[in-house]
Amino acid sequence: MRSIPANVFRLVAAIICALVLAACATAPKHNPLATWVPSPNYNARKAMLIVVHYTEQHSVQASLDTLRSENSQGPVSAHYLIGADGHIYQLVADEARAWHAGPGRWGTITDPNSASIGIELDNDGVSPFATAQINSLLTLLADLTERLSIPRTQVIGHEDLAPTRKTDPGPRFPWERLAEAGYGRWPHGELVAPPPSFDAWAALARIGYALDDRAAALHAFHDHFRGGEGEALDDTDARILYALTKGD
């Protein structure tokens, strides 16, 4: 058998190397913390916000199927899904736009999908969140906020940005535990009465809530900061809002 000339061998090797490098350059980046289960439902954008959801389903597999499909409103996806056992799945690359939030607003962000990372938690909406799941969420938040330069305060729930439509992750979600680790907003120290000039509704808007439907916004605030307690805007709300905004 004739040997391959050295110059031909080098040319073939160079072509193979170039093809491998090109494939690596065009391959989607994904997080080594997670199992990559790609969804086709995304487009490109830059994240400034992290939105936490619950799946309201009864298994990881059902949620993986849903997050790679579509419903009557169109395609459905999220960047990450965390199982009750703490396993992290990634469905959409961080730099791409997933379809997890729908219409809503948080502060000046009016297109949440274009500006956020969506994290789904495998939870039926009524059960407590598993310890392993929250531990993995904290690990993932540490990675995302550092690597993508997302402010740690910009971790919210789906209900916060869409209070007229959504209830997840609900009043059972451990926001205080996330705050102890440095994620999201939470009142620290003793709650004190604000000065007479303090406008609690303006403070609610300042931390991000849209006031188009004040009752819905207040309900979302109560789920997030008071575990679902409270009906009308009261003195406890004013103390919490003052603590959240007095350093702004």
Side-chain angles (χ1 to χ4, degrees):
M1 185 176 68
R2 292 187 301 172
S3 62
I4 300 173
N7 61 333
V8 175
F9 182 86
R10 286 194 294 271
L11 177 61
V12 171
I15 291 171
I16 292 172
C17 183
L19 290 173
V20 170
L21 289 174
C24 291
T26 58
K29 298 176 182 177
H30 59 276
N31 195 321
L33 292 173
T35 299
W36 178 241
V37 188
S39 172
N41 305 329
Y42 68 88
N43 56 18
R45 48 87 249 198
K46 183 184 185 314
M48 300 179 288
L49 185 68
I50 296 173
V51 182
V52 179
H53 308 251
Y54 59 48
T55 59
E56 209 169 0
Q57 294 188 284
H58 298 284
S59 74
V60 162
Q61 189 56 56
S63 297
L64 286 172
D65 293 342
T66 296
L67 294 169
R68 292 178 291 160
S69 64
E70 56 184 280
N71 57 29
S72 58
Q73 283 77 50
V76 180
S77 59
H79 295 88
Y80 295 92
L81 168 68
I82 305 179
D85 61 357
H87 192 93
I88 303 172
Y89 303 83
Q90 186 174 13
L91 295 94
V92 174
D94 295 335
E95 66 272 17
R97 183 181 188 270
W99 296 313
H100 63 95
R105 188 163 86 241
W106 185 252
T108 60
I109 297 171
T110 57
D111 180 5
N113 283 337
S114 293
S116 65
I117 294 285
I119 301 175
E120 293 274 359
L121 303 180
D122 177 33
N123 182 279
D124 60 12
V126 295
S127 301
F129 292 88
T131 299
Q133 187 175 57
I134 300 303
N135 288 342
S136 290
L137 174 61
L138 291 172
T139 299
L140 184 57
L141 290 177
D143 168 70
L144 293 172
T145 54
E146 175 67 23
R147 186 165 46 80
L148 304 181
S149 299
I150 299 173
R152 285 185 167 211
T153 56
Q154 291 287 77
V155 180
I156 65 168
H158 196 187
E159 182 181 16
D160 293 318
L161 66 84
T164 61
R165 300 186 303 109
K166 296 297 179 178
T167 60
D168 56 314
R172 295 178 180 83
F173 185 75
W175 288 111
E176 187 172 7
R177 183 174 173 204
L178 262 66
E180 288 170 353
Y183 304 104
R185 285 180 177 265
W186 195 260
H188 296 290
E190 181 183 358
L191 295 179
V192 299
S197 61
F198 182 73
D199 185 335
W201 286 111
L204 192 65
R206 192 152 68 248
I207 64 175
Y209 289 93
L211 300 183
D212 307 81
D213 185 326
R214 293 193 173 198
L218 185 61
H219 185 271
F221 173 81
H222 285 158
D223 277 359
H224 190 130
F225 292 97
R226 297 181 60 180
E229 176 189 271
E231 295 294 334
L233 185 68
D234 60 22
D235 290 343
T236 299
D237 295 327
R239 289 183 171 88
I240 293 171
L241 287 163
Y242 181 57
L244 291 172
T245 59
K246 65 182 176 182
D248 290 355

